[in-house]
Amino acid sequence: MTHVSTSTEDLKPHERYVPASHWRNAYDEADGAKLGMWLFLSTEILLFAGFFCAYAVFRMLYPGVWADASHYYLDWRIGGFNTLVLLLSSFTVVLAIRGAQTNRPAMTNINLIITIICALVFLVLKLGWEYYPKWVHDELPGGNFAYHSHSILEAGGYVPGSHDNIFLSIYWIATGTHGVHVLIGAFLLTWCLWLNMKGFYGPKHYTSLENVGLYWHIVDIIWIFLFPLLYLV
Amino acid sequence: MSHYHPTREEEKAIHEELASQELGHEHHVHVTPYWPMLAVFVTLVIMTVVTVLTAKFIDLPGTGNLLLAMVIACFKGTLVFAYFMHLRYDKLLNTVVVAASVFAVVLFIGFSMLDLKARAAFNHEYEAGEITTGGMNRVVANANEIAREKALEHGHHGDEHGEHGDHADEHGDDAHTDGDHGADHGQDDDH
Amino acid sequence: MSHHDVSYLAPKENWRKTALSWIFTIDHKKIGVMYLFAVLFAFFLGGVFALMVRMELWAPKVTLPSGEVQGVAFDSLPWFGGAIEGNTLYNHLFSLHGTIMVFLFIIPSIPAALGNIFLPIMLGAKDVAFPRLNLLSWYVYLLGGFFALVSLMSFGNETGWTFYTPYSTATEYGSVTAMVLAAFILGFSSIFTGMNFIVTVHKLRVPGMGWFDMPLFIWAIYATAVIQVLATPVLGITLLMLVFERTMNIGIFDPAIGGDPVLFQHFFWFYSHPAVYIMILPGMGIISELISVHARKKIFGYRAIAFSSIAIAAISFLVWGHHMFASETAIANAIFSALTFFVAVPTAIKVFNWVATLYKGSIVINTPMLYAMAFLFCFTIGGLTGPPLATLATDIHLHDTYFVVAHFHYVMMGGTVLAFVGGLHHWWPKFTGRMYNEKLAMLGCVLVFIGFNLTFFTQFFLGSEGMPRRYATYVEEFQMLHRLSTMGSWILGVGFLVHLGVFVASIAAGRPASRNPWGGLTLEWYTESPPIEHNFPHEPVLTHGPYDFDTVVPPHCDPKDYPLPDPKEVEKFSH
């Protein structure tokens, strides 16, 4: 109760923060927001479960084709590098939250900027080095897929099987949906950066930063599963 | 009998008491530690490298590689959930939410695969001629044999088709082999 | 008196401010009321399609106007000078009936309308946990409704509400894509509502209210919300894949290029089976309230009813395969058939407890109570016709017949809709502040009950005699039963029109309602009718359980009208 004497004008926004009127206190509000975020994340997990289920079923139905198609169409080096990029960005988000908890806005700023750069690197690699070449070679999902003889020669003997299109369908919709999540995440992180620059995050209030962080981690976790499934095995 | 309407003073007293209790656990914010998080990050990177190496250089039989990769991915995912996402330091409820959704995913994928795997096997047997259409009870060992029988029967009926003795003959057969009535009838329907 | 102490329905200074106060409201009651109007409109629309479907079945031959199909989309619309085949038109009609009733009416009906209005008040909270998310959910619902209307205007979909592939990916009639997008968007609305309710129940209960001090309606809504959050995303991804399939030909469900149409059925039913519990569980919650309040008796087996809601939610994820007995393999069939029987256990626990509550209660015969009894009758029939469908051998015979249609409607309409209308009458005085005409409403209830049973009981016979569902024509032997069913649908329609008239009359000229017209004990009866903007002038204090009719005189009621039972009698019956 020592800081009661200071007028609220001198305080930063996060120090002046009062919870919405239907909450009993700020702690309940933050806790409730976090629970809401976890519920939302569970819907994300189940949303991606659809892709994983389709993957599992078709891999079971066409096991041989699956492994070969994976090696033929996808480059594990790009996927692997992107995995590392996302892991790094997850770590920097953790540090950004630590910055808010320990009242070091500069730490939060720097780490958020690194995270956003990581998100952009991920997307640029994805678009420029994966989606674009595939688009050019007609390696498109399902019925739009077209075989090109020259790519068979390049493949060192591998003749694309008749169910490559299904593999590519799952690749496109799963990574596409994931990519959209990365893009949304980048926007959310930028929003957090803007709020942090205006001084809205501090030890007593960093709810939205924490929740955006949780969202970013789930995007990372989904990639942790997508990477080996699509690129490696 | 009027406990249902407490006075303002009573309410105020109750609220003050509750408020003082709540203030007690208000400041339980867990500050994210630095070194454990760095350790987790390094572990995650190492495990990524391990995934790539095992997938590229170790050739396990069957779905061994897939399972190994999934075990590693689950380990990595658990680390992110527990440390980066603070579940280890948080209320149990949040972990319950995640556990429930993971459980639902397992059910979803498990049951769908169970059914489609069985049907893939079924289709395979059908294509190999090991079973015929018409229900599970008509599974027979050798479809070719049945096909030959059917062809013979068909020819037999075709020969006798115009003759008057046709019906009498069948009735006679039925009378002799009473138990086969249903089966005979079913096969006739198929023609 | 601050401005928060006035009724939430009170108009602002001028009409512009009043309109804005509704459009941008974050008040759960206003959002709930807007939802209520929308779902009632959807119910009306779906009902009109149902009546048209029944009209078509008046005679064995196709009776709808028929003509040459001149193309697709706009060409085929009667009002654009085209013509559409009678059979196809029939397919459109029942599909629109199903899609609108399921996605726009039943799923949001109780949780989003009545739940939104009463869940926070019953918990003693000022609002739901995330009021702005609540408003977003309402506008997302409107957007979904807009897509559904677009689909409707271009003569809808003809796939049934299940959108089964490969038909839904191949058909060129109507606008399946718009309808699928509508269902996809409506799913988000449902998820947001569910998330909101879970957090509200966990974090915003009034101090002193433990889990077992909550009204059973809240338990039911909570169980519903769990299903909404865990199942709806799978519907989202399924429908998204279907849209991709139609627009980009991705082939996941297309056998021609290696996909698998049965996978769609797994995807779809993983959501849609739990979804039928999203539809029925809130109805069960309402019945627990109605029976206890209008029989003025402590609910029998509180914990059993509460836990059975959670049990139903859990089991709902294990039984989706019983919709696919005709397309699944033997092993999955056997497992799903066995698991399905478990649903009967918690459901029966509830029914027994409701009946036990009525025993020795002082039952007041009014509209909510009549609806509760109609529910018990119809829902029990609906429930008991479930096990024959869960049994593999009988299901293969009854699969895709009118027996399934009758069973589904006995559970959904005889269960959810009757509970919804009953709950609407129960809480009508509270959220509108007006009483309704009891006699006319009871007449409406009787008409609905008779019409409903006439419409659907006949269909059990039709189904077991082999009448398949979704056909515009039938053999002449079925005509008698079909005509009875159609006549029942008219009585049903008249019954609902009576209710509509009662509600309109109540809003126009109903006498003001007291704070607690029924003598209820839950927290919503402590506040004004209609409630003030922040629900309570100050945070309420909980001094008794939600159903303690044996020890507490209901708030704002004359103790003479609510004499407490002899404690010795209570003692005798509570052991």
Side-chain angles (χ1 to χ4, degrees), chain A residues 22 24 31 46 62 143-144 169, chain C residues 203 230 248-250 258 539:
Chain A
H22 61 290
R24 284 188 197 89
D31 214 34
L46 278 149
Y62 317 124
N144 299 315
S169 289
Chain C
K203 303 285 177 193
L230 285 183
M248 289 188 263
N249 195 13
I250 56 168
E539 196 162 51

Side-chain angles (χ1 to χ4, degrees), chain C residues 149-164:
Chain C
L149 278 182
V150 166
S151 175
L152 193 88
M153 290 303 170
S154 47
F155 245 77
N157 61 330
E158 47 152 18
T159 59
W161 75 279
T162 50
F163 307 116
Y164 266 19

Side-chain angles (χ1 to χ4, degrees), chain B residues 165-182:
Chain B
D166 195 353
H167 288 284
D169 204 32
E170 275 192 12
H171 280 296
D173 275 352
D174 283 356
H176 288 302
T177 55
D178 224 55
D180 286 342
H181 181 91

Side-chain angles (χ1 to χ4, degrees), chain C residues 469-485:
Chain C
R469 67 202 280 205
R470 295 179 172 172
Y471 277 66
T473 57
Y474 50 88
V475 292
E476 287 187 2
E477 284 83 347
F478 291 143
Q479 190 172 14
M480 188 62 202
L481 286 169
H482 266 303
R483 285 203 168 165
L484 280 176
S485 179

